[in-house]
Amino acid sequence: MQLIPCPWCGPREEAEFRYGGQAHVAYPEDPSALSDEEWARYVFFRENPSGPFAERWSHSAGCRRWFNAVRDTRTHELLAVYRAGEPAPEVTA
Amino acid sequence: MTSPPGAHLPEHPDFLWDDREPASSYDVVVVGGGGHGLATAYYLAKVHGITNVAVLEKGWLAGGNMARNTTIIRSNYLWDESSGIYEHSLKLWEGLEDDLGYPILFDQRGVLNLAHSLQDVRDSVRRVNANRLNGIDAEWVDPAGVKEICPIVNVSPDVRYPVLGATYQPRAGIAKHDYVAWGYARAAHAMGVHLIQNCEVTGLEVEHGRIAAVRTSRGRIVAGKVALCAAGHSSVLAKMAGIRLPLASHPLQALVSELLEPVHPTVVMSNAVHVYVSQAHKGELVMGAGIDSYNGYGQRGSFHIIEQQMSAALELFPVFARAHLLRTWAGIVDVSPDASPIVGLTPVGGLYLNCGWGTGGFKATPGVGDCFAHTIAHDEPHPYNAPFTLERFTTGALVDEHGAAAVAH
């Protein structure tokens, strides 16, 4: 089974984690000012790259904390993990 | 002198289509040589007389999800919009073997969609009623009825998720996926369509808001119109033309057992425990799982998904306990937010989208081929795919089929 290095707990089996989709999607600062188009972008549209992807994971059966990872979606290799609030590290696949 | 063994093998059978070099330009370039791409090219030629068409496939024809799906065909979706296109497709399936003049082993052995909770029961009965109002064959069967249709299903009440009943669509079934692709390829080729393998699209050229050409690993091809049928890679392709799609590409796994005597007379799907099972003509038990949670383009998934799928299958079908797993694999499915496809025009003139079929595209092959060809030929959606626009995610007119499609979503 794939090991995911939780930034607090270290490497744990994938089955302990829940996936949270794309990272760094901020809630709109002024929601009432958004057009339908902008709401659609916020609610439904996410990056879907073939390659490195910054995404959220929750260590739901461990420390229960959220963190971010950059993972190559072609190989599923985890290129970096970092704690919530930290900027995405520069990585190359 | 006697000949060595094997010296009298028959001649190689005729090829079903010719492997073409790409020409410098086409009226329509279809990107993706899977079921949808081949069907689209076929109906463009047959119904609309558009034969200056190329189907570009980056690997080999029908080697992506067309080779990886579990071949289930049904039309028992909830909403009118879905009923329209899926039932249109099922009707085309019913005449497809004659239409293509090629065997596809389409077998209407019925599908049971099991209910395991009171909410499942309510949703299922609602779906049966909606289907019947739309003229689609559907009935609600109780556990005894499930047992009668498929005797190997465990309907005893003392399991973790007891079977409380099921929806049954008798006209549903399976077909031989490879034969379907080959039948379409052969017929499209016979009408003049170029089928070009090992030709990966690397760029889309847009001039003055209109598609002009595709760049490929085998050179630039000028295109009057471009139709995307690339399933899991749709986001990557659309981005080449500056279009973002509300899709997430996930691995979806399936597996087969060794060949067994016929034991399973129908198709059984279960949303709650995430497994769906039929027995192929050859004898393998074919089982599909739910999608892996994460985005992935690697055509492989995680083993614990297979483990969960097997435990669900074993509880439903105790008779499978001694069967051996032969092979597992994954395809890349493009999952949309409302579990419905996106088929139609784009902001770029002459560029058409067919994607978002997620886990359920195989059953739609003839229907979407027909409707997408219409969309391309007339530059306007066919009534059956008109509801499935990209704009619906802005207008809010979603077609939420998570209930009917949710086995794997």
Side-chain angles (χ1 to χ4, degrees), chain A residues 1 14-15 19 36-37 40-41 44-50 53 57 71 73-74 76, chain B residues 235 239 244-249 293-298 300 302 304 337 393-394 398:
Chain A
M1 186 176 290
E14 180 198 333
Y19 187 61
D36 288 352
E37 176 80 25
R41 294 281 148 185
F44 294 123
F45 288 71
R46 294 290 179 270
E47 293 302 318
N48 187 26
S50 174
F53 184 42
W57 287 88
R71 192 178 50 96
T73 60
R74 294 164 299 186
H76 303 173
Chain B
S235 298
K239 202 174 174 185
R244 281 186 77 190
L245 299 177
L247 299 176
S249 296
S293 66
Y294 47 76
N295 291 27
Y297 284 85
R300 57 180 298 184
S302 297
H304 69 272
F393 299 98
T394 303
L398 303 183

Side-chain angles (χ1 to χ4, degrees), chain B residues 217-240:
Chain B
S217 55
R218 294 172 69 176
R220 182 174 182 272
I221 300 172
V222 173
K225 294 176 175 179
V226 172
L228 303 182
C229 291
H233 282 85
S234 296
S235 298
V236 177
L237 277 166
K239 202 174 174 185
M240 294 174 187

Side-chain angles (χ1 to χ4, degrees), chain B residues 73-76 84-96 106 108 136-137 169-173 363-364 366-367:
Chain B
I73 295 160
R74 61 191 173 91
S75 64
N76 53 355
I85 194 160
Y86 288 109
E87 179 62 15
H88 176 57
S89 194
L90 181 50
K91 284 181 176 146
L92 289 177
W93 278 111
E94 287 173 328
L96 192 57
F106 178 53
Q108 292 178 292
I136 294 171
D137 59 320
Q169 184 181 22
R171 286 165 61 243
K363 68 176 77 67

